Amino acid sequence: MTNEEIMTAPIRWRRYFKWNTDHKVIGVQYLVTTFIFFLIGGVLAMMMRAELAQPGKDILDGAQYNAVMTNHGSVMIFLWIIPVFAGFANYFIPLMIGAEDMAFPNLNAASYFTFLLGGLVMMGSFFLGGANTGWTAYVPLSIIAPDGQTIWAVSLILVGTSSLMGAINFMTTIVTMRAPGMTFWRLPLFVWGMIATSLLVLLATPVLTTGLILVILDRVAGTVFFDANAGGDPILYQNIFWFYSHPAVYIMILPGMGIISEIFPVFSRKSIFGYRMIALSSLAISVLGLTVWAHHMFTSGLNPGMRVPFMITSMIIAVPTGVKMFSWLATIWDGKISFTTPMIFALGFISLFVIGGITGIFLAAIPFNIHVHDTYFIVAHLHFVLFGGSVSAIYAGVYYWFPKITGRMYNETLGKIHFGMNFVGTLLTYLPMFLAGMLGMPRRVADYAPEFTELNLLATLGGILLAFSTIPFLYNVIVSLAKGELAGSNPWRGLTLEWQTSSPPPEHNFESSPLVTSGPYDYGSAEGAQELLELAPAAGD
Amino acid sequence: MKERSILALVIITLVMLAIGYLVAINVDVMPVAASSRALLVDDLARILFGLATVVFIIVQGALIYAVVRFRKRKGDNSDAIQYRGNNTLELIWTVIPAILVTFIGIYSFRVLSEIEVHSDDEMVVEVIGQQFIWQFRYPSYDVRTQELHLPVGQQVRFEITTLDVIHSFWVPAFRAKRDATPGQVSELVITPTELGSYPIRCAELCGVGHSVMNSLVTVESEEDFLKWIAEQSGVLPTPDLEETGSIPAETEIAAEPAQLVGSSIFGRYDCGVCHVLDDAGGFGHVGPTLEGIGETAAAREPAVDARAYLLKSITRPDAFVVAGYSAGSMPQNYEDRISSEELEVLVDYLLTQ
């Protein structure tokens, strides 16, 4: 079937609303659902920024603010960033390794619907008072919170279970279903990123589930696992929580780094610099990432003697992250860079993520950490990592693979407007927060001292810009889906396997099982580039 | 060519060092420093900012240079010159960051050891957190207050506890913070060095009133401190003693008009942090307003009269929850803290409002 035929065939919408075992359908289900949750999380964020634009109580009272803040964090982490990468991984892992589908197609569909159920249960928790303890849900506050807290904890268990099913599937698929010739050292770096991520999910998620079950038991069954007055231990909860939730940061950034590693070579027409080092640094980050959790507890009731080892591991983890940053810079160095929307989002990723990365070292330094812990400095740091980093990478991935998924090109001008608003908005929203935190503004407050007014107003203005930046994006997606230029199978002249089949790919991905004879980024080599030129005519900028 | 690039490298390194140094000595992003510990933490922050600026400029500089210099020319669809790696380069950008973080780690450890040194003549102050107020107890004077005063230059050991959920005792001007964790006594050592008043803020989300859980620490001379302590314990300070020649009796509660006592009990238990009541200086919005509560209390629960309603609302806060407010926001321990006499007077007072 040619591209023309695929595009003129009626889009089979119904399969997206049903149990479907095609990994591409499940990928799209994940991508669209998570983006809707992103918009919900964004509305919650704007409610907070509206409340915080000026000191004093404006639109939310303390309880409402806490519920909005808790669910903003939970939605963005558990219903947007973590699962959106499951969407990309579902769609592209089989394509990138030359497989027909995932190893366990039914488990794959089950994972999506468990996620969807978890998301709806979390939304439902609002009707029972909502969780209002922050996404960290520290005991004993989370024990005495309203009923919504129990429902919220149940939703996290569902979403975590979905995440586990996904990780099992990704690992099995990558290990057992690679096309002939697709050795581990020929895997695209996004696939390497998903290996590192899946290992973390498999090792850490069950621990969070355990913690949440204990919280639910303390809440509804009258147990006292975390009740200090009855021999329980609130610090135990913090250890359990961060044992998952710090690795979760890497679960949220490693796939994004993988996407960045796909994009730089394609749009620089150059092989990735230090392929093995980038792949291994993902594994190093994932192993080290399991050993740094207590740096979230430097001011807590943790025994002070336990802080220094965690400072050391937290410092060391900067090294593999630095290796990635410098390897990316060396990849674009001497390249022939074309400034497509995915490429500028990837360049923006470097620019913003480096701010989050450097401030991470500040936070590993215990004496500085003690001052800024639980302040707006942390809020700024984590948003540079997760918004400047992960979300930039997600947008880069959406634009990069939009032609493959839909068969049509997006509009470059709108894409660049989107990037501009997103980049400026990110800086304007989060830079002032560093200053507010150091000067004395705690996080998770519904109100603040008047001295922080200017900084908060700036952040709110930046937030408004970020909110509006989704308009050109959505408009672009909807209009391009209907009338975008036909993309052809390989508009970017990429070498990875997903570009060696039609857009969108046929039901079993490839007309015949591909035979892999070279690496994913072997630009400049006779076989790589030449072969491709025959396969697909180059699309203009 | 090679000599030129070495020269360029040397110049760039020197410029970077100069920029890092200038940033480190000029950066001014911290609040006023009012403890010996703050100065050490600020020095660490300066070094972090200096190094961060250098790394920031190198990465952003390389990025901008590459973006400007290595643009694809129009019509050129060929691939770029290929190189897949460079062991020297990769070694350099692994080892240099490793050395930098080792340096930061060792320096941080030294600062940490220095700021947490105990001394023999520490003054102990107990810090007790509860939703949504701080209380301070001076065991050596047997004084319990809701504002913190400290003598300048005297090392203090805070012993931090909580009556309910986790709070975090933070004095930004001291660069000091420690959580109040149930079942634990957490320690924090500081030596205030600058006279003045500085905010105390709760840094750990503790419920609906988290953002109002603030207090003030006043650092003052030792004489002023002792005078203040004496006022708190109801005994006038020694200089006054000499003038009058006798120790004044403690003020009798019954000697004051009921109205005044009611409002002072309201103040003593920090009701105003969460409830508006102009007459007694209440300003908070965590709980419902108490303006006109004398009338509204009667109407709230058909089966309960106003007095019983108020009594129960103080001792069992979740028994009746006003629409729009949440159960669990008010401390549950007023029954233990307020004597029954005080409670009677307080309720009488509220009924007149």
Side-chain angles (χ1 to χ4, degrees):
Chain A
M1 205 160 44
T2 67
N3 281 310
E4 295 290 340
E5 282 164 339
I6 289 174
M7 292 319 296
T8 47
I11 300 171
R12 289 179 291 142
W13 286 107
R14 280 195 191 155
R15 60 189 169 145
Y16 293 107
F17 297 94
K18 284 183 180 164
W19 185 276
N20 188 307
T21 54
D22 182 342
H23 71 99
K24 297 186 288 300
V25 172
I26 296 171
V28 171
Q29 287 175 328
Y30 261 112
L31 291 171
V32 173
T33 314
T34 52
F35 194 82
I36 292 168
F37 281 124
F38 176 46
L39 294 178
I40 293 172
V43 169
L44 295 173
M46 290 318 297
M47 289 166 75
M48 289 194 291
R49 284 316 326 163
E51 171 60 46
L52 294 175
Q54 296 288 316
K57 186 186 156 197
D58 302 310
I59 59 163
L60 302 170
D61 66 34
Q64 289 166 334
Y65 183 89
N66 288 350
V68 166
M69 176 268 296
T70 302
N71 284 278
H72 162 73
S74 317
V75 166
M76 290 303 201
I77 291 167
F78 294 107
L79 304 184
W80 161 236
I81 300 183
I82 294 176
V84 76
F85 286 123
F88 284 120
N90 258 302
Y91 203 105
F92 290 106
I93 285 179
L95 283 166
M96 286 177 134
I97 64 172
E100 294 195 341
D101 202 324
M102 296 279 277
F104 308 115
N106 273 305
L107 182 68
N108 205 15
S111 140
Y112 169 74
F113 283 100
T114 310
F115 158 74
L116 182 64
L117 178 65
L120 295 176
V121 170
M122 192 189 289
M123 297 296 102
S125 73
F126 261 109
F127 298 101
L128 282 168
N132 58 14
T133 56
W135 79 286
T136 48
Y138 273 13
V139 292
L141 189 62
S142 58
I143 306 294
I144 61 173
D147 291 343
Q149 192 82 28
T150 307
I151 308 298
W152 176 87
V154 169
S155 79
L156 290 202
I157 292 175
L158 287 169
V159 172
T161 307
S162 147
S163 182
L164 277 170
M165 294 187 218
I168 291 166
N169 223 340
F170 299 142
M171 284 306 281
T172 315
T173 307
I174 295 166
V175 171
T176 63
M177 297 182 66
R178 283 165 291 123
M182 179 57 83
T183 61
F184 270 93
W185 288 127
R186 280 178 182 163
L187 285 177
L189 287 165
F190 174 68
V191 178
W192 271 111
M194 285 311 299
I195 293 177
T197 304
S198 302
L199 284 174
L200 279 179
V201 169
L202 291 172
L203 290 170
T205 311
V207 180
L208 177 69
T209 308
T210 310
L212 290 169
I213 289 172
L214 297 184
V215 167
I216 293 173
L217 287 175
D218 271 11
R219 288 179 56 85
V220 302
T223 55
V224 288
F225 294 112
F226 299 126
D227 184 349
N229 298 321
D233 183 5
I235 299 298
L236 175 66
Y237 173 81
Q238 297 179 17
N239 278 305
I240 292 175
F241 177 80
W242 288 114
F243 187 87
Y244 167 78
S245 294
H246 192 80
V249 177
Y250 302 109
I251 291 172
M252 287 185 273
I253 197 71
L254 287 170
M257 290 171 156
I259 292 175
I260 300 301
S261 304
E262 297 301 324
I263 288 172
F264 278 149
V266 173
F267 297 107
S268 311
R269 309 310 302 162
K270 209 166 148 276
S271 177
I272 192 101
F273 189 97
Y275 169 86
R276 288 188 185 206
M277 283 293 269
I278 294 183
L280 291 176
S281 67
S282 292
L283 292 181
I285 289 173
S286 112
V287 173
L288 278 169
L290 285 166
T291 66
V292 302
W293 78 89
H295 72 216
H296 295 271
M297 301 162 63
F298 285 160
T299 68
S300 79
L302 188 74
N303 184 308
M306 280 173 67
R307 294 172 302 179
V308 174
F310 287 99
M311 169 170 82
I312 295 169
T313 51
S314 305
M315 293 273 178
I316 293 173
I317 206 161
V319 175
T321 313
V323 166
K324 277 188 197 290
M325 296 294 278
F326 292 119
S327 300
W328 288 324
L329 286 172
T331 302
I332 62 170
W333 204 264
D334 271 342
K336 295 185 175 179
I337 302 174
S338 29
F339 295 94
T340 58
T341 306
M343 185 63 173
I344 52 175
F345 266 104
L347 294 165
F349 166 93
I350 301 254
S351 193
L352 298 172
F353 180 76
V354 75
I355 300 174
I358 293 176
T359 48
I361 298 177
F362 282 52
L363 293 173
I366 300 171
F368 185 81
N369 177 297
I370 289 173
H371 176 56
V372 298
H373 182 69
D374 270 330
T375 71
Y376 259 84
F377 190 93
I378 305 283
V379 178
H381 160 75
L382 78 91
H383 281 93
F384 268 102
V385 173
L386 295 181
F387 198 88
S390 304
V391 175
S392 290
I394 293 164
Y395 277 135
V398 168
Y399 284 107
Y400 178 59
W401 282 314
F402 184 83
K404 178 54 60 184
I405 298 174
T406 65
R408 293 185 184 271
M409 296 305 289
Y410 58 85
N411 179 309
E412 277 291 352
T413 313
L414 284 171
K416 278 165 187 160
I417 292 171
H418 175 211
F419 169 78
M421 291 170 79
N422 188 68
F423 187 79
V424 175
T426 306
L427 292 174
L428 191 58
T429 309
Y430 304 118
L431 279 180
M433 294 182 181
F434 281 122
L435 206 50
M438 284 185 286
L439 290 174
M441 181 170 165
R443 69 188 290 200
R444 296 172 164 176
V445 286
D447 193 6
Y448 52 83
E451 61 194 276
F452 304 117
T453 309
E454 287 83 1
L455 293 170
N456 276 284
L457 191 57
L458 278 178
T460 296
L461 291 175
I464 292 171
L465 193 55
L466 286 179
F468 279 108
S469 79
T470 54
I471 293 174
F473 173 75
L474 283 171
Y475 180 79
N476 198 353
V477 167
I478 292 164
V479 170
S480 306
L481 204 56
K483 344 184 204 177
E485 210 183 305
L486 289 186
S489 62
N490 193 358
W492 309 130
R493 298 187 295 134
L495 293 182
T496 40
L497 287 181
E498 81 269 28
W499 301 110
Q500 319 311 326
T501 184
S502 59
S503 310
E507 193 173 345
H508 292 294
N509 294 345
F510 300 94
E511 295 297 323
S512 57
S513 181
L515 175 70
V516 183
T517 54
S518 60
Y521 314 111
D522 285 349
Y523 291 94
S525 74
E527 37 181 326
Q530 286 307 319
E531 194 182 321
L532 278 172
L533 283 176
E534 287 161 25
L535 267 170
D541 271 14
Chain B
M1 186 64 199
K2 193 158 189 198
E3 277 164 20
R4 269 181 64 191
S5 43
I6 291 172
L7 184 68
L9 217 70
V10 171
I11 291 174
I12 290 173
T13 312
L14 288 176
V15 170
M16 285 299 147
L17 285 175
I19 291 174
Y21 175 72
L22 284 174
V23 168
I25 58 170
N26 286 312
V27 68
D28 182 20
V29 289
M30 296 291 240
V32 59
S35 73
S36 52
R37 163 189 188 124
L39 301 173
L40 295 167
V41 174
D42 287 3
D43 283 345
L44 172 65
R46 284 173 194 289
I47 286 175
L48 288 170
F49 270 101
L51 288 172
T53 309
V54 171
V55 175
F56 181 81
I57 292 177
I58 289 174
V59 173
Q60 307 283 14
L63 191 68
I64 291 167
Y65 181 84
V67 162
V68 173
R69 175 81 177 69
F70 305 118
R71 311 173 78 95
K72 178 177 89 83
R73 278 158 213 261
K74 248 204 160 88
D76 178 3
N77 281 331
S78 62
D79 286 351
I81 312 160
Q82 302 299 316
Y83 40 86
R84 307 250 151 95
N86 179 319
N87 289 345
T88 322
L89 214 51
E90 288 175 58
L91 196 67
I92 288 174
W93 68 49
T94 309
V95 171
I96 291 186
I99 292 173
L100 282 180
V101 295
T102 309
F103 163 75
I104 295 171
I106 292 171
Y107 185 77
S108 301
F109 179 71
R110 291 188 50 179
V111 171
L112 184 67
S113 321
E114 208 165 332
I115 60 181
E116 294 188 344
V117 168
H118 289 268
S119 80
D120 292 339
D121 61 342
E122 281 170 354
M123 177 170 91
V124 174
V125 178
E126 293 172 11
V127 177
I128 303 142
Q130 77 170 100
Q131 290 176 327
F132 300 100
I133 52 165
W134 294 108
Q135 297 182 72
F136 306 97
R137 210 182 141 250
Y138 296 78
S140 40
Y141 303 97
D142 198 24
V143 163
R144 193 180 182 117
T145 67
Q146 276 159 24
E147 53 182 316
L148 180 60
H149 282 236
L150 298 173
V152 68
Q154 163 69 53
Q155 181 158 341
V156 184
R157 184 172 86 234
F158 294 112
E159 293 182 351
I160 305 164
T161 54
T162 173
L163 298 179
D164 41 46
V165 300
I166 300 176
H167 302 277
S168 192
F169 174 72
W170 180 32
V171 183
F174 294 164
R175 311 289 186 272
K177 179 187 292 134
R178 192 84 207 266
D179 288 6
T181 309
Q184 287 197 13
V185 181
S186 306
E187 292 190 350
L188 184 66
V189 200
I190 58 110
T191 309
T193 52
E194 297 292 322
L195 299 179
S197 285
Y198 313 101
I200 297 169
R201 300 200 169 103
C202 177
E204 183 66 58
L205 179 64
C206 56
V208 291
H210 172 48
S211 58
V212 298
M213 191 164 164
N214 305 313
S215 184
L216 216 56
V217 50
T218 302
V219 179
E220 56 199 358
S221 67
E222 194 169 359
E223 300 89 84
D224 288 349
F225 171 75
L226 289 173
K227 200 165 139 197
W228 175 81
I229 279 284
E231 284 165 11
Q232 301 312 304
S233 47
V235 179
L236 289 176
T238 27
D240 290 350
L241 268 182
E242 284 166 15
E243 275 172 32
T244 56
S246 69
I247 300 168
E250 281 196 40
T251 335
E252 290 281 320
I253 287 176
E256 295 181 24
Q259 185 75 3
L260 187 68
V261 172
S263 65
S264 69
I265 294 172
F266 188 88
R268 188 174 313 149
Y269 292 99
D270 271 321
C271 308
V273 173
C274 299
H275 298 280
V276 172
L277 186 57
D278 258 354
D279 186 62
F283 59 87
H285 288 282
V286 173
T289 177
L290 297 180
E291 299 290 2
I293 187 68
E295 285 166 31
T296 42
R300 283 247 169 87
E301 294 289 328
V304 186
D305 71 40
R307 162 170 284 275
Y309 174 84
L310 283 175
L311 270 173
K312 195 150 191 187
S313 291
I314 296 170
T315 52
R316 296 270 185 279
D318 292 346
F320 315 113
V321 179
V322 179
Y325 296 87
S326 5
S329 3
M330 184 160 155
Q332 312 278 328
N333 62 351
Y334 280 120
E335 193 172 25
D336 308 330
R337 290 178 58 209
I338 307 186
S339 68
S340 49
E341 294 81 14
E342 281 176 316
L343 192 57
E344 290 294 325
V345 177
L346 180 61
V347 169
D348 285 343
Y349 165 71
L350 288 174
L351 286 170
T352 65
Q353 292 302 304

